[in-house]
Amino acid sequence: MKKNYLLIGAVALIIAAITGYVTWDRHQTKKLHDTALTHIDNATQALRTALAPADDPIAQSQVVAAAIERVDQELTALRAATTSRILLLGAGADTYLHTIRELLKRQASVLVLDTSVRNGITALRSHLSSSRAAPNWASEAVRLKNRLEQDFREYQRAVDAHTNIADGYADAHKALAGLIAEVRIPATAEITAARDRTSAAGKALTAEMAAARRATAPR
């Protein structure tokens, strides 16, 4: 009889240990799940703030720079965590955060180079309207034009890179679809709209660049 009690006691201990482990495991999994969602939410908030249309490129550059820093922090924290308990969500969150960070980096480059190109056009036009009798007028005109052309080429590359990443956002969105509420991340249409705004600004700047080139063309 005593042996039966001992056996029952041992079984009860085993059941309690298993129950305790299952409870702990569920708690740890939920904790990781909630942490991943927090990283996603924080990054999404930074992204949407940065994507909001703005008229001042310099001010917007500062907003985008802050967003990049925030998203990078969230991605670093996510990768520092052990996400083996939430493999699908962990991988999807990583893809999402990495994608939007790269998108924001390209947006930052576009904004900086947009300002550089516009300033270059202004400087070149100002120089062309100045007295040609000034020392080194021709060499300075060549220098300004070459610098402008270089900045514009870099600007075009930045716009192309921004477009490519924006077009690939659908894959990052798909990686999280079904795992979290879709309101937590921008719809593909939101990113497409941002891409289209950048593309439209690029076309407008290309037209201004063409006018600047005509001004320097031999007559």
Side-chain angles (χ1 to χ4, degrees):
M1 190 73 174
K2 184 177 180 179
K3 289 184 179 180
N4 289 339
Y5 284 131
L6 289 174
L7 180 61
I8 292 172
V11 171
L13 287 174
I14 292 172
I15 293 174
I18 293 174
T19 301
Y21 174 78
V22 170
T23 301
W24 174 84
D25 184 68
R26 286 177 178 174
H27 173 73
Q28 292 300 109
T29 300
K30 185 179 186 306
K31 185 178 178 180
L32 283 171
H33 183 274
D34 291 345
T35 298
L37 291 182
T38 297
H39 292 316
I40 291 170
D41 290 344
N42 291 341
T44 296
Q45 182 180 10
L47 174 65
R48 283 181 165 144
T49 300
L51 292 183
D55 296 328
D56 185 348
I58 296 178
Q60 190 177 15
S61 294
Q62 296 172 345
V63 173
V64 174
I68 293 170
E69 183 177 357
R70 184 58 184 270
V71 174
D72 191 59
Q73 289 173 351
E74 300 299 336
L75 180 57
T76 299
L78 176 71
R79 289 177 172 176
T82 302
T83 56
S84 57
R85 297 174 185 276
I86 51 168
L87 280 176
L88 289 178
L89 179 59
D94 190 288
T95 298
Y96 170 68
L97 294 178
H98 174 76
T99 299
I100 64 173
R101 182 187 65 179
E102 295 307 303
L103 180 69
L104 288 170
K105 283 183 176 180
R106 300 313 179 279
Q107 185 184 7
S109 295
V110 168
L111 290 169
V112 169
L113 290 165
D114 179 278
T115 299
S116 295
V117 171
R118 292 182 186 281
N119 289 342
I121 291 174
T122 299
L124 180 59
R125 285 175 173 167
S126 177
H127 182 73
L128 292 176
S129 63
S130 66
S131 173
R132 300 197 177 199
N136 303 320
W137 185 92
S139 61
E140 179 63 7
V142 171
R143 186 191 71 79
L144 288 171
K145 186 174 187 304
N146 288 342
R147 177 59 187 271
L148 175 58
E149 291 288 354
Q150 179 181 341
D151 286 346
F152 185 66
R153 285 193 297 271
E154 291 180 7
Y155 172 80
Q156 288 181 308
R157 284 194 289 267
V159 170
D160 289 342
H162 182 275
T163 298
N164 290 336
I165 295 174
D167 288 343
Y169 173 77
D171 292 332
H173 188 279
K174 187 184 299 182
L176 286 174
L179 299 177
I180 65 173
E182 291 198 26
V183 295
R184 289 183 180 271
I185 58 176
T188 302
E190 290 182 60
I191 303 302
T192 299
R195 179 205 66 189
D196 291 345
R197 287 195 297 271
T198 298
S199 178
K203 290 178 180 177
L205 189 56
T206 297
E208 291 187 41
M209 186 66 186
R213 283 168 173 160
R214 287 193 297 270
T216 61
R219 297 178 182 177

